[in-house]
Amino acid sequence: MGPLAKIIAAILGISFFVFVTFFGRLPALRHTPIAFLHRVIWVHIPNALYKVDLALTSGRVTSYTSRFMNYMLYDRHPTVLIFFFLLLSVGEYMYLPTAWPQLSTFHKVAGSFAMVFPYVFLYLASFSDPGYVTPANHAHEMARYPYDYTIFHPGSECRTCKLLKPARSKHCSVCKRCISRLDHHCIFINNCVGAGNQHWFILLLLSTGALTVYGGVLGVSIITAKITEQYPYWSMWPWSANGGEGIVLKEWLLLWSWGLQDMVSMGAVTFLAIMTSPLTWSLLGYHIYLIYCGTTTNETLKWGDWQLEMDDGCAFKRTMPSDRVKDSQVEAIWTRWPVETEQIMLRTNDGKPPAAHLILPGEGEWERVWNLRDVENLYDLGFWDNLIDVFFPGYQFRDSQTPMSEGSYTRKRKKRKGRK
């Protein structure tokens, strides 16, 4: 295996490992090879190594390693953020000296914007308030979303912050704060992704993905131009070289290596950009899909738990009356959200409907639920309104003086879009 093939294999291996690490626990991938590999990498292999370490050092190496990994992954520190910043800046430092003199004026201007935007959005995503819930803004956050009585029920208090949890909020064990509409804590920005900065995070992914594609395509075009100038029969694809007759793979790779010999640094960054670009676009696509579904990473895990309850036959729902009187002690009387819940869903331990003598919200008979498609997602208003909610966190979907029954919002509420 030549140097070029080794670089490509290493980049592909790292990218695939990162993909499995980030996506392996998603409920949508629970019964896929990705989930299996995640368990192998993060459960079975560590358990096997622990048994070996237990026999050799009484578990000391595992203990030190565990503390280090917990610090890296579950403590708030800028190590990974600095690494990400250096990956961008050092990559550009290696790439530009060779590429810049060969670029047209258009590509110099466009490339400058492409390089600047990731830094801007990285700063905004990292240092913006992600949506901290504090005593000062607690009433405002309580009025951001109504409780759906499915994955968010009123009256739950955060044991750390000593505040009632607003709908869609979650306490982050890394930031030690409750976050409004928490999606996840991201170690790459050393911050939570929540209602206050999710739009900056989405733009960071978009700008980084655009930079990797743009830089990769420009780098390949510079390298291929050099090779074809010396060897006109060569082509970027081995089967189309030599006038369509093709050339053997060994010769094709040899000419690639020749093209890279005077621009090794730029070539390495080019291939890094090309190989890591799918990971960036996959993350972006995943978050756009979450917006389309009107949910978050945190809520997706909760919906996954509900599906397990449904599989066991322990999930029940019934109608929530539209004219119900809210308890102002545990939920906001008015919220900016244009719709209110039409259902309440509960789980039981014995697989039987909740007992009739229990005083529970809702009216009518309890209906057993078998699939997430049969459950209303209160927070899904349709893709465009979901997008507005993400990019304009303070947007008022209805006037504060307009009662729900008199509102002009006529969009039909959505059932959940398939199984998560």
Side-chain angles (χ1 to χ4, degrees):
M1 181 182 293
L4 178 63
K6 289 180 180 178
I7 292 174
I8 294 175
I11 294 173
L12 283 174
I14 294 172
S15 300
F16 183 72
F17 176 80
V18 173
F19 178 83
V20 170
T21 299
F22 277 97
F23 291 96
R25 290 184 65 249
L26 293 179
L29 301 177
R30 182 174 283 126
H31 302 295
T32 67
I34 300 298
F36 171 76
L37 287 174
H38 186 277
R39 290 193 297 272
V40 170
I41 294 172
W42 292 105
V43 178
H44 300 309
I45 292 179
N47 287 342
L49 293 176
Y50 174 69
K51 292 178 180 179
V52 174
D53 179 45
L54 199 62
L56 298 177
T57 69
S58 300
R60 286 192 294 271
V61 173
T62 301
S63 178
Y64 297 147
T65 304
S66 178
R67 285 201 294 268
F68 173 75
M69 293 302 296
N70 283 334
Y71 171 75
M72 292 298 296
L73 297 176
Y74 303 114
D75 275 353
R76 192 173 187 183
H77 56 83
T79 306
V80 181
L81 171 60
I82 293 172
F83 170 77
F84 182 40
F85 177 84
L86 290 175
L87 195 63
L88 288 173
S89 57
V90 173
E92 291 164 5
Y93 176 79
M94 296 171 61
Y95 183 95
L96 288 176
T98 302
W100 191 262
Q102 305 182 57
L103 299 180
S104 65
T105 302
F106 171 81
H107 284 303
K108 287 181 179 179
V109 174
S112 297
F113 281 107
M115 287 186 291
V116 167
F117 281 139
Y119 292 104
V120 174
F121 295 132
L122 177 62
Y123 173 81
L124 292 171
S126 300
F127 296 100
S128 295
D129 181 349
Y132 295 128
V133 180
T134 66
N137 69 3
H138 184 257
H140 172 78
E141 294 300 338
M142 289 290 286
R144 185 182 291 275
Y145 300 103
Y147 293 96
D148 64 352
Y149 281 81
T150 300
I151 57 176
F152 298 104
H153 292 262
S156 178
E157 182 181 281
C158 175
R159 291 175 292 180
T160 304
C161 299
K162 305 301 181 184
L163 295 171
L164 285 175
K165 293 181 180 180
R168 309 193 78 181
S169 70
K170 187 179 187 300
H171 185 86
C172 174
S173 60
V174 180
C175 294
K176 310 296 191 292
R177 308 279 287 275
C178 280
I179 310 295
S180 177
R181 202 186 69 229
L182 176 70
D183 188 274
H184 69 290
H185 183 90
C186 179
I187 60 176
F188 286 95
I189 64 172
N190 192 34
N191 200 2
C192 280
V193 176
N197 69 343
Q198 187 179 10
H199 51 301
W200 300 129
F201 180 75
I202 296 293
L203 291 173
L204 171 62
L205 291 176
L206 177 61
S207 59
T208 304
L211 177 63
T212 56
V213 170
Y214 192 54
V217 171
L218 279 180
V220 168
S221 66
I222 292 172
I223 297 169
T224 54
K226 175 188 174 183
I227 299 174
T228 52
E229 182 180 3
Q230 186 69 25
Y231 302 96
Y233 66 89
W234 185 87
S235 173
M236 192 170 69
W237 308 110
W239 54 82
S240 62
N242 200 18
E245 295 181 6
I247 58 176
V248 296
L249 183 61
K250 183 177 180 179
E251 182 182 0
W252 182 77
L253 290 173
L254 184 64
L255 292 177
W256 259 117
S257 300
W258 176 86
L260 289 169
Q261 65 182 357
D262 295 331
M263 49 183 73
V264 175
S265 296
M266 191 203 75
V269 175
T270 296
F271 285 112
L272 177 64
I274 292 173
M275 298 302 174
T276 57
S277 183
L279 176 62
T280 307
W281 286 101
S282 295
L283 287 170
L284 176 63
Y286 171 68
H287 282 279
I288 294 298
Y289 175 72
L290 291 181
I291 294 174
Y292 168 75
C293 293
T295 188
T296 65
T297 300
N298 171 55
E299 292 166 11
T300 297
L301 297 174
K302 293 179 181 291
W303 285 115
D305 293 338
W306 266 119
Q307 184 60 65
L308 294 177
E309 297 290 345
M310 294 174 188
D311 293 341
D312 293 336
C314 297
F316 298 87
K317 71 173 184 177
R318 70 175 178 179
T319 303
M320 184 73 80
S322 59
D323 59 348
R324 72 183 181 91
V325 178
K326 293 184 177 182
D327 184 354
S328 61
Q329 298 297 315
V330 293
E331 58 181 323
I333 301 300
W334 175 91
T335 68
R336 70 185 183 95
W337 209 238
V339 289
E340 293 284 344
T341 185
E342 294 180 346
Q343 68 186 17
I344 175 175
M345 194 158 72
L346 297 175
R347 58 174 60 88
T348 61
N349 294 326
D350 56 5
K352 298 179 180 179
H357 68 274
L358 296 176
I359 303 177
L360 297 171
E363 60 184 10
E365 298 295 322
W366 290 98
E367 174 188 352
R368 195 185 304 273
V369 184
W370 293 104
N371 198 291
L372 289 176
R373 292 188 180 89
D374 300 324
V375 181
E376 170 206 34
N377 180 11
L378 177 67
Y379 307 119
D380 180 15
L381 301 178
F383 178 68
W384 292 112
D385 286 326
N386 295 345
L387 206 62
I388 289 173
D389 184 41
V390 169
F391 279 86
F392 303 94
Y395 183 81
Q396 298 292 325
F397 285 95
R398 64 188 181 101
D399 187 81
S400 60
Q401 304 300 319
T402 304
M404 180 63 63
S405 60
E406 299 175 10
S408 59
Y409 194 88
T410 57
R411 182 187 299 277
K412 293 182 179 180
R413 279 173 282 184
K414 305 292 187 68
K415 298 295 184 181
R416 286 193 48 76
K417 299 181 177 76
R419 177 170 178 168
K420 293 289 183 201

